[in-house]
Amino acid sequence: MFAALANPLRFMAFSRWAAPILGLAALLLTGAGLTLGLSAPPDYQQGDTVWIMFVHVPAAWAAMLAYGCLGGASFISLVFRHALADQAAKAAAPLGAAFTGLALVTGSLWGRPMWGAWWVWGDARLVSVLVLFLLFLAYLALRASIDDEAKAARAGEILALIGLINLPIIHFSVEWWNTLHQGESILRPGGPALAPVYLLPLLLTGAGYSFAFGALWLARTRAEVWRRRATALALQAALR
Amino acid sequence: MTPLVLPGGKYALYIWPAYGVSALGFAWMILDTVLRARRWKRRAERLETER
């Protein structure tokens, strides 16, 4: 699958139909999840603020998925020198920054009524997600600051690979340190702690956000392929 | 005139801004992606025909 898609022509043919299908699936899943979620009863502890979970948690999942894709594509680009992998890495970063920003803002809007604070510096989950946001911004700034695309790609790949260490830190932060943030409530021994009335809409919106990232990632990678094609053609025209 | 009352009770002030920010975030991601893709596709196709 990877070897087949490493060819830009095959990738463009594949993504032309895959991106809209993923986008449609994202719309249906997110719509169904939000419809079910917003009709769920108030939580006995958190009241109606539990509704924020259906936009906060999927954004956080999509942010981590985006960084995983950025790191994976950077690894493939660095080791196998695939131009398409570098284009995919570059395309994932702005989306990852946006999803992380959404997770931070919606988390803050959930934290204020529940914890009495918009932000808590001593909370490992919050700070590690802020580090993720800064990693995305640093990657984008680094790539934008170097004119030579090959050098910019190498620098970005190294930063992206170093930043991968943050993903397990985010995931396990609620176990390794005492935090205000609630502990693991889905992937835990003994099964999910969430009631099905919340779990099903959360899984639907989580899948919807992930598919949305997939659709937008494919579309942005296509744009990056065209950008490089246009740049190469403009250079050829200038040299004639 | 009846004032607009959003669902969510006393927490509506936090819930709906969270949904609003999410909608804005998605709108930006979709618009930026579509416009970027269109712009570079057109430019690449124009340069291709001029070649």
Side-chain angles (χ1 to χ4, degrees):
Chain A
M1 174 84 176
F2 163 70
L5 291 180
N7 179 319
L9 286 176
R10 281 200 204 110
F11 169 78
M12 293 303 267
F14 162 77
S15 58
R16 188 174 182 175
W17 57 265
I21 288 175
L22 281 175
L24 183 65
L27 193 66
L28 293 174
L29 287 165
T30 308
L34 291 181
T35 305
L36 284 176
L38 290 172
S39 56
D43 179 65
Y44 78 107
Q45 279 183 318
Q46 308 202 10
D48 288 320
T49 63
V50 75
W51 287 349
I52 298 176
M53 176 172 71
F54 306 120
V55 287
H56 168 68
V57 176
W61 287 347
M64 291 179 70
L65 173 66
Y67 201 89
C69 292
L70 170 61
S74 295
F75 176 78
I76 292 166
S77 175
L78 189 66
V79 174
F80 301 105
R81 300 288 163 130
H82 273 297
L84 190 62
D86 175 51
Q87 290 155 4
K90 196 178 175 190
L95 298 173
F99 278 116
T100 315
L102 287 181
L104 288 169
V105 173
T106 54
S108 186
L109 284 162
W110 198 4
R112 181 68 182 88
M114 291 299 100
W115 304 338
W118 297 102
W119 183 262
V120 181
W121 281 108
D123 189 290
R125 173 59 68 85
L126 270 62
V127 173
S128 56
V129 174
L130 178 64
V131 169
L132 183 72
F133 185 58
L134 295 176
L135 278 167
F136 278 122
L137 295 186
Y139 177 89
L140 289 167
L142 187 62
R143 295 225 38 164
S145 65
I146 302 172
D147 287 334
D148 185 324
E149 288 224 22
K151 284 182 184 167
R154 295 293 93 79
E157 285 152 7
I158 292 164
L159 175 67
L161 289 174
I162 292 169
L164 277 176
I165 192 77
N166 193 41
L167 290 187
I169 293 175
I170 293 173
H171 182 74
F172 292 110
S173 58
V174 289
E175 291 178 24
W176 291 344
W177 296 286
N178 285 322
T179 72
L180 273 175
H181 199 282
Q182 69 184 69
E184 181 58 62
S185 49
I186 295 181
L187 297 173
R188 59 177 219 150
L194 278 176
V197 73
Y198 301 126
L199 183 62
L200 179 63
L202 181 61
L203 293 178
L204 285 171
T205 48
Y209 270 53
S210 301
F211 280 34
F213 165 73
L216 292 166
W217 188 32
L218 286 178
R220 287 188 90 92
T221 306
R222 287 170 66 80
E224 188 60 21
V225 170
W226 280 316
R227 187 188 71 78
R228 296 210 183 171
R229 179 76 185 141
T231 307
L233 288 169
L235 190 64
Q236 281 175 18
L239 290 173
R240 272 204 299 269
Chain B
M1 204 168 89
T2 314
L4 176 69
V5 179
L6 289 169
K10 61 180 179 178
Y11 298 123
L13 192 64
Y14 303 100
I15 295 166
W16 299 111
Y19 277 79
V21 166
S22 300
L24 282 177
F26 266 98
W28 175 80
M29 283 191 277
I30 293 166
L31 266 180
D32 186 64
T33 301
V34 169
L35 293 178
R36 184 180 296 261
R38 273 192 195 165
R39 183 171 70 240
W40 287 113
K41 186 184 180 190
R42 275 189 200 146
R43 197 170 295 182
E45 284 172 349
R46 198 191 70 228
L47 287 163
E48 195 82 58
T49 51
E50 284 173 5
R51 201 156 61 145

